[in-house]
Amino acid sequence: MSPQQKLPITEARALAHAIAAAVGESILGKSAQIRLAVACLIARGHLLIEDVPGVGKTTLAHALADACGLAWRRVQFTSDLLPADLVGVSVWESANAQFAFRPGPVFSEVLLADEVNRASPKTQSALLEAMEERRVSVDGVTHPLPDPFFVIATQNPAHHAGTFELPESQLDRFLMRLALGYPPADAELALLAGRDRRNRSVVARVTDRSTLTALQASCADVFVGEPVARYVLRLVSATRSHPAIALGLSPRAGLALLAAARAYALTEGRDFVAPEDVQAVWHPVAAHRLHTPDGRHLPDALVAEFLQGTPVA
Amino acid sequence: MRKSEPVDRHGQLWILAAVLLTLLPLLPRLTLEVGLVAGLPLLWQGWRLHAATPARPPNRVVLLLIAAVAVATTVARYGTAFGRTPGLALLAMLLGLKMLEARTRRDAHITIQLCFFVQLGYFLIEQSALTAACALAACVLALTALLRVEQPDLLLKPALSGSARMVGIALPLAALLFVLFPRIDTPLWGMPTDGASATTGMSDRMRPGSIADLSLSGEIAFRVEFSGSPPPPAERYFRGPVMSQFDGLEWQARPAVRATSLPQGKRRIDYVITLEPHQNRWLFALEHATPREGQTLDAFNVLLAGATIRSRVRAPMTSYADAQIGLDASPAALAVNLALPAGSNPRTAAFGAKLQQEQTAPADRVAAALRFLREGDFVYTLSPPRLGQNAADDFLFETRQGFCEHFANAFTVLMRAAGVPARVVAGYQGGEINPIDGTLVVRQSDAHAWSEVWLSERGWVRVDPTAAAAPKRIDGGLTASLPASDPIPGLVRIDSQWLRTLRNRAEALSHTWNTWILGYTAQRQRDLFAGLGIDADWRNLTLGLVASGALWQAAVWIGMFRSRRRLTPAERAWQLLLRKLAQQGLVPAISEGPIAFAARAGTIHPEWQAALTDFAARYARLIYGPTASAEDAEALRIAITEWLARTF
């Protein structure tokens, strides 16, 4: 990555709010989730949305991409989707008498991977590898992915038939996991009455690619003091000694928590991380990395218990 | 948090655990029906709290009913609801009820205070090291429950370590109080007794079978610490009552005056005996003791304590193994030891008369009688056949099976019949050295009876007829000499080396406890401080107590102060605000950061919202932000002070 120019803190906050506001025009009554999704984007992390169909996952991805002026593509994951369908193939071009690489949908700035748990493990891991490495190797040639590269994956929460659960070890490639949930009553009424802009797909373009990368680069300047680092350490170690948890949070999870908290602090207009920022991103960052010994998600109440039981100072 | 606030399920579970652990050590001391009534509320509470959302607490009428049952049980079992054991039984039963009805924090506090009270009650019944350990464990758990009620978010580990730390800070103070608190020789109040408690021990009467009963008990009678090496087993005769009055069936001790002369000798033995209570005055000294301070020696050379031994007594003693006693015995006194009731034991009387004719020297008559015992195929057993009215006759000439009192009885009768003054001595013989701490442990099963005969020139001489027939009894103790089929208490005959070592360790620990904790009397306190060159006057002790208590408290405070981080100016400014807000009932949760707290306070008091949000943002920047300048902190402090002055 080339040296980036960064945004001053007030501009960064204004921009983040503008993006969130633009997305909020499309999806009513979900401002908290939208802010987290924007923070996830700013933190250069990937987003997993776990929810039932029809609550606006695609709309969110679309709106985010449009507001940021990014190109986006959508792939419906199925059990017969092959890795090549995702990353692309080399084809013989008789005209030039050589192989030419035809990039797959992964070469987009925003990729919506719909129902990611329907694909075979092989395809899943191709995607997750691309997410982690931010590049793709085909036939010995490495092709860098665009920057920014933002994956929004969706999956159904229940253990549906014909799905392949994402392996626990790969779930943490996603910085956050969000649930959109059904809209609140007044928002749904607006939707039904046609006042929602969901289907008009006219999201105001708030920024462009280069400004967005500058915004992402500003995250690095958000200060994390020792008290906050200690607070994160307390939170992380609390999960390691809890009897209901198979495996506590890893150091990588602690770093992810701080990265997300930095981005969130930016959206709050702060150039430092406060414990409140860590708390705001705790659930979406930590919940999908924690499992009960029999492999199930932790109940939301238990995830929240760590926040309530850990002193901030 | 207010007093009337309800206690959550976890808090109630903690209280249940505390009550359970508090009652457990007490239950074996109470009767079955008391245990059942006390356990019922615990089971009920356990069932209630088993569900995630606890069932409703029982109706007040039901509680009253159980309370009535508790009182009725106490009165039915003990005849009264007052006194030591009935009181504790009633308390134990009501403790569970209090817990069952405890809903609010106030109730929880009362329940836990009751737990502490019951833990104190343990010591009214028994003061062993085990009791202290149980009380300590129950105390830590009750403290943890108290902490948990006060701070519902507290996790298990910090709660336990918190209460352990409290106990840790308190223990040195308790030790100081123990060592330094001025002690008095007689207790200020008496312990209420629950009627005569049965204590096994020596009696001042002996009839065939009475000591054999005692031998079935593995209980410790006393422990002896020798300042030098202990005498060999064959010389370990601890003298109890001397019985010279015989009615043909039973030997009985006669009241005696003080001894006029004290035994003297060259082989001096110094030792300390720790006697278990036995409701009599005998100190069971080795042959032959001279009285120390507070002890008396009676005319039979029996060493007596100043008062009846109702609690464990530690007595230092001095004996002279080679001392001779009774050299100056008066003819009248000797005549008593020749008396036999007319017509009893005719065959023994005839045999005695024959001995008297054959042997002119009394010492030869003794030797002849012992020879008769040694060569007569006598069997030493705990379960001899029943003897008739003339026990000596039956034993010597018919059954020839008996325990030490049979031998002592028959031999003494025979000696009297042969014209040698003789009497029976009861006491303990042998004992076992505990290899862990080197003390000699003497059990009830070491109870023994032997004879003393009076010979001119030598005075009263000990003769152990049992030794003649069963020498193993004297050298190897009871178990070595009895046939394997005879019943012996489990603790006396232990074949497993492992169990034996375990028992030795437990007894050594218990002896250390008895010596240093329970035996720390006013006298020992004086001795201890005299050793340090300090007069253990109550003024000195109180002064020392207050001074060292204050020193310890200061040390604890300094430790706490040092471990606490110094507050930065920003934190001091913020604390100023928090204190004022706390007076308005606004207290941040432990998990609440300054910004979140200000936001919450702002929704409750919208008129303060702007100021609080500003302060919180500035404070957060000062402590979490990159640059914390002293000027910013000072500016925040001024802003907060001014705002507080304006607002409150």
Side-chain angles (χ1 to χ4, degrees), chain A residues 223-225 227-228 231 241 270-276 279 307-313, chain B residues 153 155 157 565 589-597 617 620-627:
Chain A
F223 176 81
V224 175
V228 172
Y231 176 55
S241 56
R270 275 195 285 273
D271 59 351
F272 61 91
V273 174
E276 284 82 352
Q279 291 173 350
L307 283 188
Q308 286 150 18
T310 308
V312 287
Chain B
D153 297 331
L155 295 172
K157 231 188 271 175
R565 218 161 34 83
I590 55 162
S591 62
E592 207 169 22
I595 299 170
F597 171 61
R621 166 165 294 281
L622 281 169
I623 58 168
Y624 302 120
T627 50

Side-chain angles (χ1 to χ4, degrees), chain B residues 146-160:
Chain B
L146 195 60
L147 272 178
R148 188 57 184 63
V149 167
E150 285 303 305
Q151 301 176 28
D153 297 331
L154 214 55
L155 295 172
L156 173 67
K157 231 188 271 175
L160 272 179

Side-chain angles (χ1 to χ4, degrees), chain A residues 46-257:
Chain A
H46 304 293
L47 180 64
L48 176 66
I49 303 178
E50 191 176 82
D51 223 321
V52 291
V55 291
K57 290 172 293 201
T58 316
T59 316
L60 174 64
H62 193 167
L64 259 179
D66 279 355
C68 299
L70 300 173
W72 73 284
R73 290 174 81 175
R74 173 181 167 173
V75 179
Q76 180 68 41
F77 276 43
T78 54
S79 56
D80 57 356
L81 188 77
L82 295 175
D85 299 334
L86 204 59
V87 298
V89 285
S90 296
V91 292
W92 177 256
E93 288 190 339
S94 47
N96 302 340
Q98 63 178 14
F99 281 101
F101 180 62
R102 292 274 172 82
V106 82
F107 287 86
S108 58
E109 288 163 335
V110 174
L111 173 70
L112 176 64
D114 228 343
E115 297 196 77
V116 69
N117 55 342
R118 287 208 178 274
S120 65
K122 196 172 178 180
T123 311
Q124 282 176 4
S125 60
L127 173 70
L128 295 165
E129 213 179 304
M131 285 162 58
E132 181 75 7
E133 310 280 327
R134 290 177 184 273
R135 62 177 181 234
V136 167
S137 295
V138 177
D139 297 334
V141 185
T142 302
H143 308 273
L145 294 179
D147 185 43
F149 171 59
F150 185 45
V151 174
I152 302 180
T154 73
Q155 69 172 357
N156 290 327
H159 294 239
H160 282 287
T163 60
F164 300 92
E165 276 299 293
L166 285 178
E168 277 173 37
S169 59
Q170 295 189 340
L171 261 181
D172 68 353
R173 307 278 161 86
F174 292 99
L175 180 63
M176 290 189 192
R177 187 192 66 185
L178 288 176
L180 276 182
Y182 294 111
D186 51 348
E188 195 162 7
L189 183 65
L191 173 68
L192 294 174
R195 295 196 295 273
D196 189 83
R197 300 207 191 150
R198 195 169 289 230
N199 298 317
R200 297 191 208 158
S201 60
V202 278
V203 172
R205 182 169 161 173
V206 178
T207 181
D208 55 17
R209 219 184 92 177
S210 62
T211 318
L212 182 67
T213 27
L215 177 60
Q216 288 176 334
S218 328
C219 272
D221 282 352
V222 176
F223 176 81
V224 175
E226 198 188 312
V228 172
R230 283 186 187 282
Y231 176 55
V232 169
L233 182 63
R234 277 197 295 276
L235 276 174
V236 169
S237 19
T239 64
R240 293 176 189 164
S241 56
H242 198 282
I245 291 175
L247 209 58
L249 290 178
S250 64
R252 183 158 68 179
L255 285 174
L257 197 56

